[in-house]
Amino acid sequence: MAEAQLKDDQAPRKLAYVNAITEGIAEAMREESQAFLAGEDVAGAGSVFGYTGGLLEEFGADRVIDTPISEKGIMGLGVGAAATGCRPIIDLMFMDFLGECMDEVANQMAKMRYMFGGHARLPVTVLTMSGAGMSLAAQHSQSLEVWLTHLPGLKVVAPATPYDAKGLIISACRDDNPVFVLLNKLSLALQGEVPEGAYEVPIGKANVMREGKNLTLIAYSRMVHEAMQAADQLKEFGIDAEVIDLRSLSPLDTDTIIESVKKTHRAVIVHEAVRFSGFGGELAAQIQELAFDYLDAPVGRVGAPFSPVPYSPSLEQSYMPNAKRIVAETRRLLGV
Amino acid sequence: MAAPAIGSMTFRYAFRGSFTDTHDCFGYARHPVRPDHPKSPEIGGDKPVTIQATDAVLLDIHERMVRIRIFEEEAGKLMENGKVPGALHLYVGQEAVAAGVMAHLEDSDHITSTHRGHGHVVAKGGQFNEMYAELYGKAAGYCKGRGGSMHICNMEIGMLGANGIVGGGIPIAMGAAFSKKFRKTKEVAASFFGDGASNEGSFHEAANMAALYKLPLILVCENNGFGEYTRQDNHQAIVDVADRAAGYGMPGVVVDGMDAIAVYEAAGEAVARARNGEGPTLLECKTYRFYDHVGVRGMGLSYRTDEEVDAWKQRDPIKLIEEKLIEQGIITKRKISAIHKRIREEAMAAIKFAEDSPLPDPDGLLEDVYYVQA
Ligand SMILES: Cc1ncc(C[n+]2csc(CCOP(=O)(O)OP(=O)(O)O)c2C)c(N)n1
Ligand SMILES: [Mg+2]
């Protein structure tokens, strides 16, 4: 927790992604008495991922609530409470469990405000964990962001760094509309600079992680780090890649993407989700619609193959996109 | 949920005359019928089915239990030593449930299981070689290394898979039971699930449909007192999950899940009902997991005390059945040791087989997705 961290004025404070999540939730709950956190094993156990540790002690059992294993109920709790004056923070543990509560998400949460002629306000934040890489197999490793981004009425953010994790959670909790914060399990131990206190990372604003001249790598969540590595390796082939971390998938910062592509004339999109019907398809379409005349090559897409996530490490390793695959796809596209 | 509480537990049977009054359960009096059971349908009319385990059946149940225990002990070591990837949810402590139910089932009967599924595979007749190979993620595994612990299956022996989704197996078992009725077979389906899973919509919808269509389904709730790290009294406002049966119009039975013989008898009633076309039963087995939610020591959270675990270990289901077998002169202590030794050796050989066998070829990654989509 924040209090336990050293307060060194000089060196910027480093924090793991997992602790940045905790701080984000804690700050949001400190500033808003109507905020509560509910989910499976978030109170006593501090969540199976460890990111709600200490919150029960600080906020008490009235505001940090262990729920039964009833995802439809939990999501409904969030919708109903948000519509009637609370600011719920709902923890869905694994994103794969969306299947259990998709009606609450898609037909209720996402549509209520619109259907009710704007008369409902739904300040609900949902935290959930995506991504493969831990041999947790087909039902605990998925990246299902397009299930959510296809729904008007939801905001969807996917932080890649500890800084963004904390800031986006705070922004999500301050937002008067439903926001999904997609976390990444392989990133939990990732260290990064995280300021103390509350700060926002704006929802709908991409981050240019690295500037470059002749290629734009567009990524989000953990794939941002793979894209950064790929950018390093691509120098060897005379490619100076710009890397954009989308941070927010919906709303999407098309301005930043298009501005970059107009400069570099080439784009490769990277996500961990299955490539087919993935979010990269939307990005590629936006780019060709808005920057067709600037493109010197087809827009590339790197994603997982069209298969469920396998268990065996040998299969999972070849399943997951990585820097090597980004480099290979880029070289293929650009013929270098 | 202190272990001794099970002693004061009222054993309730919705069946009329199903169980012998004299059946000893560690000195606790049984209540063969609980007449005030809310809206329990009268089952079996005036011809109660009495299930009694023969010596051969008792030995068979014991063998299944020891196989599970040893498989899981060794699997736990493999996980703790980092030999196998992923997360293993181990079944140690709950063996009486899988063994007692499975002793009634044929290969043609189907089961669905949970994230804590190894015990169900072993009890249904799964082989150690293919099971350990799957945990290792090897090509020789039951799922060719694609599924791992949480999806381990064997269709040939009617095992429709462990399941990574809590409650995920229950509607599937209901569908399998529908198929059995539709195809006019005498087969049954059984679904194993936890106390935590009984809070999922999937349980409630499947239970209602099974009762409505009078499906040959046995809903086996393994109430081990926790869903992950949350105690039962913190996740549902009832003590007996079996109470939920009344709401769907099927009998609900509570049984001591540490007593394999009691489980066998109660499951026998339920299976007989199912085979006779009389519909589903909710069978709740009160049990306990000796290991942590995941792995052996798990995350080291203090959600239960060592004293509580030790108290339950006093009623270790394997110890209980072995005491009974010896006491009744069915087997000697020496022969029991020989069984343990034989199974341990089989497990060690299977682990060696798994370790030595090749990983799946990544080129096969896209097989079984119906078609290759670029
Ligand atoms: C739909 C869904 N929600 C949550 C989880 C995470 N989870 C895995 S096991 C478990 C506890 C299950 O408890 P119970 O049904 O009692 O089975 P037990 O682990 O005690 O055998 C939970 C919450 C999951 N796998 N699937
Ligand atoms: Mg349980």
Side-chain angles (χ1 to χ4, degrees), chain A residues 92-109:
Chain A
L92 185 56
M93 204 187 292
F94 287 84
M95 184 178 210
D96 314 65
F97 308 159
L98 266 178
E100 292 285 340
C101 54
M102 203 56 183
D103 184 72
E104 294 297 329
V105 173
N107 285 325
Q108 316 300 338
M109 183 190 286

Side-chain angles (χ1 to χ4, degrees), chain A residues 150-233:
Chain A
H150 192 63
L151 293 166
L154 297 181
K155 298 184 183 182
V156 183
V157 300
T161 64
Y163 180 93
D164 286 350
K166 178 173 171 181
L168 281 169
I169 287 171
I170 292 169
S171 299
C173 294
R174 288 178 180 174
D175 201 297
D176 277 347
N177 299 300
V179 183
F180 271 75
V181 183
L182 311 185
L183 306 165
N184 179 272
K185 51 182 93 74
L186 269 196
S187 305
L188 285 169
L190 180 77
Q191 295 279 330
E193 283 177 27
V194 178
E196 309 227 20
Y199 62 90
E200 289 192 18
V201 168
I203 294 173
K205 197 81 200 80
N207 188 18
V208 179
M209 300 286 282
R210 162 194 176 122
E211 298 204 5
K213 289 197 188 68
N214 48 19
L215 168 73
T216 303
L217 290 174
I218 305 164
Y220 52 91
S221 191
R222 197 179 69 80
M223 284 300 129
V224 169
H225 308 295
E226 297 291 337
M228 292 293 279
Q229 276 185 42
D232 276 342
Q233 295 169 24

Side-chain angles (χ1 to χ4, degrees), chain A residues 53-119:
Chain A
L55 297 178
L56 173 66
E57 288 72 11
E58 179 174 350
F59 299 103
D62 288 345
R63 295 182 67 196
V64 181
I65 302 154
D66 277 331
T67 64
I69 313 172
S70 309
E71 289 78 9
K72 187 175 167 66
I74 302 166
M75 208 54 75
L77 179 93
V79 174
T84 55
C86 298
R87 302 190 73 90
I89 305 169
I90 300 297
D91 183 68
L92 185 56
M93 204 187 292
F94 287 84
M95 184 178 210
D96 314 65
F97 308 159
L98 266 178
E100 292 285 340
C101 54
M102 203 56 183
D103 184 72
E104 294 297 329
V105 173
N107 285 325
Q108 316 300 338
M109 183 190 286
K111 296 184 173 50
M112 209 161 169
R113 176 167 172 173
Y114 182 85
M115 290 188 305
F116 290 6
H119 294 302

Side-chain angles (χ1 to χ4, degrees), chain B residues 119-199:
Chain B
H120 305 128
V121 185
V122 172
K124 195 86 175 44
Q127 298 302 303
F128 284 4
N129 275 6
E130 287 81 355
M131 289 188 68
Y132 280 122
E134 190 57 37
L135 301 192
Y136 271 88
K138 298 296 181 75
Y142 272 137
C143 313
K144 301 182 195 165
R146 292 193 197 143
S149 167
M150 276 194 285
H151 307 293
I152 195 161
C153 71
N154 182 355
M155 298 294 284
E156 279 163 31
I157 54 171
M159 203 288 166
L160 287 169
N163 209 308
I165 298 300
V166 169
I170 311 172
I172 296 170
M174 185 270 292
F178 179 90
S179 156
K180 289 163 185 317
K181 186 173 179 184
F182 185 83
R183 291 182 292 111
K184 300 191 167 49
T185 69
K186 278 279 179 195
E187 297 160 11
V188 303
S191 183
F192 295 83
F193 57 94
D195 48 303
S198 74
N199 296 327

